[in-house]
Structures are given as structure tokens and as C-alpha cells.
Amino acid sequence: MLIHLFLSPIVFAAPAYTNIKLGEKVEGACRHVDSDDDDQSLPSLGSTGSELSEFTCDEISQVELCHLLGPAIPEDESKHVTIPSGFTRPANLEHSIKIDLPVGFRRIRKAFLNQDNDFWDKKVLSGTLKYKNIASKGWDRHSDVIGSPTVPKGLKYGDIVGATKKTEYLMPKTALVKANMAYETTTITAYDDHCFAIEMMTSNPDVPFGKKFIAHTKIVVYNTGANSCVMECSVETVFPNGPPMAISRQIKHAMKTGSIEVFEKIGSSIKNCAVSYGWV
């Protein structure tokens, strides 16, 4: 999931996600699944440069996020959630966190997946991470349906599973590496009114050791009814040709800590927005 891991033979810098400017961390918003994870302090938000000068930087972030998430969806108000017959809970990857969100399931699904929503490309990639030259080819099938509250007659939810989307973007230069391209393939691996899951495989072949690993990230969202859902985010490192003996542990650690921090910030920001703007 958009991992910016840059390293020298012995130096690992924090992923570019650490410049994310979403809402301030809310105590209790995120729950670690890994028992051995260390608590990490989050960087300050800093200035956003927004024209909304009457807002603080925290409030600007929340206003933008609320707008990009779109309006509430009436179907999310129901307290009753039907679990499909034969449902199998998607397995998490090696390192994961669980985040309770006071936002409707279909609202989150639309924000994350709908081709006409700017939440991901505009807010996360461009606005927050400052990536440039973002190019997405869109979902390879059912692009006009994916993320919608309902599916048309004749189409089953299972028909959406397996849809893929390719995205590439230019990541900014850092003190260690020049600006470089990242290539990401996203696949929908679960999709119904109880759960959706996306898995992302991201490579940065132009960074040091970039051809030796791929970032595998996964987001699973469960409908818990009454305008709420649970998001489980996980990550693991893939070494296509086997792990490099000297540095594989450092690569995995850097990818884990950077990804978990990003997941926490996204979840905390959505929760902040919900509390501050009366969703709960």
C-alpha cells in the first residue's frame, strides 16, 4: 500500500507516509493486533496551506476528509447486518491492526473504491503524500458499479471479486533517494454488504534494493451496522527471489512500522472527523 521504503546498506529512513497530514491521533481509536508492537508517537500536523484560514490545521484536515468521504448513505442506518451464508473471514497478513470506525460501511466502501470518488487519489496520494503524475487505469471490470450502495439486477457481488486496478505515481525525492516511480496493483478479494477487502502489491524498483522486495498490504472492512464498521489493516514484505541475507530483517521492520503508522493515522482521522462533525 504505497510504501515508500528507502534504504542504504545499513540506513533505513522512515516511509514517506510519515508526512501524512490527516487528523490528530485519538486515544483508543486503534487497537494493535500484534502484541509485540511498540507504541510510536505521531508527528505533528504542521501547516496545510489551505485557503480556509479560519480553521486550525486539524480542522482543515477534518473538513477536507468529511467532504471527500461524501454524504451518509441511508442503508447504513440499519442495526441489522446479514452475514452471507458460508462467509469466510479474510485472513490478515503478518502484521495487523484493528480500527473501529463510527462511519457507515457503504460510505467507506464508496470512498475507497468508487471510480468517481477522489478520496484516495486526491486526499491520500496527492494532497497528503505529495505524489505527482498519478495515473490510474481504473477497475478492469464493473467500474461503474464498484463502490455503489447496491448492484444492478443480474450482477452478483461475487462478479466483482477479482477486479484489479493499476496505479503508478512519482514519489518525491528525499535526503537519501531521488524522486522515483511506484507501481501498484490493487485487487478486490472480498465484496458484499457485510465485508469488502482489497489487497495491494506495490513496488519501487528504482530505490536501493527496490527490485528485491514488494510491499503487500491489505484492508478489510466489516459492516457492524448503525453507521459503524471495523477496519482491519495488515502488511507483510514479499521477497520474490528470496530474502536478501544481510538486510531482510531491516526491510521488514521498516515496512511494518511505516505501514502501521499510516493505518493508525487514517483510522484516527476518520474517527476525529466523526466526533467533531456530529456523526456520532
Side-chain angles (χ1 to χ4, degrees):
M1 177 186 173
L2 327 172
I3 301 301
H4 195 178
L5 178 68
F6 29 83
L7 49 139
S8 69
I10 58 174
V11 177
F12 294 81
Y17 269 135
T18 55
N19 70 356
I20 199 164
K21 296 176 182 175
L22 295 173
E24 189 177 14
K25 185 175 181 180
V26 175
E27 187 67 27
C30 305
R31 305 196 307 274
H32 280 278
V33 174
D34 293 327
S35 60
D36 61 342
D37 283 341
D38 296 328
D39 290 333
Q40 307 243 348
S41 60
L42 300 182
S44 60
L45 293 174
S47 172
T48 62
S50 172
E51 295 178 356
L52 302 176
S53 57
E54 66 271 25
F55 293 108
T56 67
C57 61
D58 289 356
E59 290 170 334
I60 290 170
S61 176
Q62 292 164 2
V63 167
E64 292 174 344
L65 186 62
C66 289
H67 172 72
L68 290 172
L69 281 173
I73 296 176
E75 290 88 342
D76 283 333
E77 296 179 4
S78 176
K79 296 181 179 179
H80 177 71
V81 177
T82 300
I83 300 177
S85 176
F87 173 77
T88 300
R89 190 180 185 88
N92 288 324
L93 303 177
E94 185 176 5
H95 306 290
S96 63
I97 60 171
K98 182 182 293 185
I99 306 171
D100 297 316
L101 298 177
V103 183
F105 170 83
R106 293 168 182 83
R107 190 179 193 181
I108 289 291
R109 186 175 66 184
K110 182 178 181 181
F112 278 25
L113 303 183
N114 189 267
Q115 67 171 354
D116 296 325
N117 193 289
D118 289 331
F119 176 81
W120 202 258
D121 288 355
K122 184 176 180 181
K123 177 61 183 176
V124 178
L125 296 185
S126 179
T128 299
L129 300 180
K130 309 303 180 185
Y131 296 166
K132 298 179 179 180
N133 301 342
I134 301 169
S136 175
K137 298 180 180 179
W139 299 110
D140 63 351
R141 62 176 186 262
H142 307 305
S143 59
D144 57 336
V145 173
I146 291 173
S148 300
T150 59
V151 296
K153 292 182 178 179
L155 183 68
K156 299 178 181 178
Y157 284 128
D159 297 333
I160 293 174
V161 175
T164 62
K165 177 176 66 174
K166 294 185 181 295
T167 306
E168 60 183 55
Y169 37 83
L170 180 68
M171 307 182 84
K173 68 177 181 179
T174 71
L176 297 180
V177 297
K178 63 181 181 180
N180 64 93
M181 291 298 296
Y183 304 90
E184 179 178 285
T185 299
T186 303
T187 303
I188 297 175
T189 55
Y191 193 98
D192 55 45
D193 284 337
H194 172 59
C195 162
F196 77 86
I198 53 175
E199 298 193 38
M200 289 149 283
M201 306 292 287
T202 309
S203 63
N204 296 81
D206 296 330
V207 302
F209 300 100
K211 295 180 180 180
K212 295 184 180 295
F213 64 86
I214 296 173
H216 184 189
T217 51
K218 186 173 185 177
I219 296 176
V220 185
V221 180
Y222 297 95
N223 187 357
T224 50
N227 282 308
S228 69
C229 60
V230 172
M231 182 169 67
E232 295 185 0
C233 309
S234 56
V235 59
E236 67 183 33
T237 309
V238 177
F239 298 104
N241 299 314
M245 293 181 60
I247 60 169
S248 60
R249 185 172 181 178
Q250 293 97 317
I251 292 174
K252 292 178 67 174
H253 177 75
M255 193 171 295
K256 169 190 170 183
T257 55
S259 299
I260 293 298
E261 181 177 334
V262 173
F263 295 147
E264 286 184 329
K265 288 181 178 179
I266 293 174
S268 296
S269 297
I270 294 174
K271 188 178 180 72
N272 260 339
C273 189
V275 173
S276 299
Y277 291 86
W279 297 356
V280 294

